[in-house]
Amino acid sequence: AARTCVRFSGLAVAMVHSFYMLNLWIWWIWRMAAIAAATVVNQESIVVSLSDSGMVRREKLEKWSQKWHVKCETTKGTFHLQTTPESPQGVRRFLDLVRDGFFRDQAIFRAVRGSLVQFGISDARELNEKWSPSIPDDAVAQAVAPRRLPRGTLSFAGTGPHTRNTQIFITLSDQAITKPWETAIGHVLEEDLPVLDRLFTGYADAVDPEDLRQHGNDFLREFYPCLDYIQSCSLLDDPIANLS
């Protein structure tokens, strides 16, 4: 059978083309909005963690804004700390480190009298490698400087924006902070603050962290025999174990 071809006028072709382009534009806007919404959910509301059994768990970031309690035993006594809600990314990393036993037999390699004590380099190289990836700064890091961290405050140390991974410091006095990535992740309970005062500060910041990474605790015990150590840290209310 012969085909019948219909010739459209130029106006009709333009109208059809315009209608097609309008629908394409509406679809594109809808698609971009959906992607943006998914991105917000994935980046701001959902975090992924690995349980002891190897199960991958998806959790709301708000969960890490709750207050969790940790007990740390040192060579000068035991102190308890409570996490703060203002730095959920930092709190999540800290609790992951605690759960993984990262702070077991760990040197307090920097202890400056009246200023701070610092730790966070494991004697086990594989643990340092495992937790070497850095985490993003918390939103509170955008607050106007200077800020103050009261005595007994825990914070991650870093070398620049988004460089926090394992090193922690605790303030021995109120400290003015100008580095935006240094945000409070917790504080030592007031009744346990005297434990911090007993930590040895005679070496100040003489210990080279690279010596610790390369040679481990044996090196420190030989050349810095008075250093104190975090013997262990444990969660008193495990957020992973309590998941339904």
Side-chain angles (χ1 to χ4, degrees):
R3 293 184 180 180
T4 302
C5 297
V6 179
R7 183 183 297 275
F8 289 95
S9 66
L11 178 61
V13 171
M15 291 178 63
V16 171
H17 178 74
S18 297
F19 180 77
Y20 170 78
M21 292 303 296
L22 177 62
N23 279 274
L24 183 62
W25 178 249
I26 292 173
W27 175 87
W28 185 85
I29 293 176
W30 173 85
R31 180 62 177 168
M32 291 300 100
I35 292 174
T39 301
V40 169
V41 169
N42 288 335
Q43 290 186 351
E44 297 184 4
S45 300
I46 301 296
V47 294
V48 178
S49 60
L50 190 64
S51 70
D52 291 336
S53 62
M55 294 179 58
V56 175
R57 300 182 184 275
R58 293 171 58 85
E59 308 161 84
K60 291 185 177 180
L61 185 60
E62 287 80 2
K63 186 174 188 67
W64 303 97
S65 296
Q66 300 177 24
K67 296 180 179 179
W68 307 104
H69 299 86
V70 175
K71 179 178 73 173
C72 290
E73 298 179 1
T74 78
T75 46
K76 292 294 174 59
T78 300
F79 65 81
H80 298 78
L81 60 91
Q82 177 178 281
T83 63
T84 56
E86 65 186 70
S87 305
Q89 296 278 8
V91 168
R92 180 195 176 212
R93 169 55 66 91
F94 175 66
L95 295 184
D96 283 346
L97 293 170
V98 171
R99 294 184 72 253
D100 200 34
F102 182 81
F103 297 112
R104 186 177 297 113
D105 191 28
Q106 193 162 115
I108 303 174
F109 63 87
R110 184 184 182 201
V112 181
R113 185 179 183 86
S115 181
L116 57 83
V117 295
Q118 187 168 330
F119 54 95
I121 300 177
S122 176
D123 188 44
R125 291 189 180 185
E126 62 272 16
L127 282 180
N128 290 324
E129 179 65 24
K130 176 181 179 179
W131 293 104
S132 61
S134 58
I135 61 173
D137 294 339
D138 283 291
V140 71
Q142 306 303 321
V144 177
R147 296 169 291 111
R148 298 195 70 82
L149 297 182
R151 166 172 152 85
T153 300
L154 277 77
S155 172
F156 275 97
T159 58
H162 311 299
T163 58
R164 302 180 298 172
N165 53 16
T166 64
Q167 292 195 41
I168 303 282
F169 68 85
I170 305 177
T171 58
L172 299 180
S173 62
D174 293 357
Q175 298 288 317
I177 298 298
T178 58
K179 298 174 182 178
W181 55 88
E182 294 180 346
T183 58
I185 62 171
H187 64 271
V188 176
L189 299 188
E190 185 174 0
E191 58 267 28
D192 293 339
L193 288 176
V195 175
L196 302 181
D197 296 330
R198 294 196 291 268
L199 297 174
F200 182 76
T201 57
Y203 301 131
D205 54 4
V207 177
D208 186 344
E210 285 305 313
D211 286 337
L212 174 53
R213 290 190 183 93
Q214 294 297 320
H215 308 294
N217 288 348
D218 289 342
F219 171 85
L220 296 185
R221 291 189 168 102
E222 180 176 356
F223 293 98
Y224 301 94
C226 295
L227 281 180
D228 284 302
Y229 289 77
I230 302 287
Q231 296 173 319
S232 66
C233 289
S234 58
L235 274 171
L236 301 182
D237 41 13
D238 192 335
I240 299 296
N242 293 336
L243 289 175
S244 57

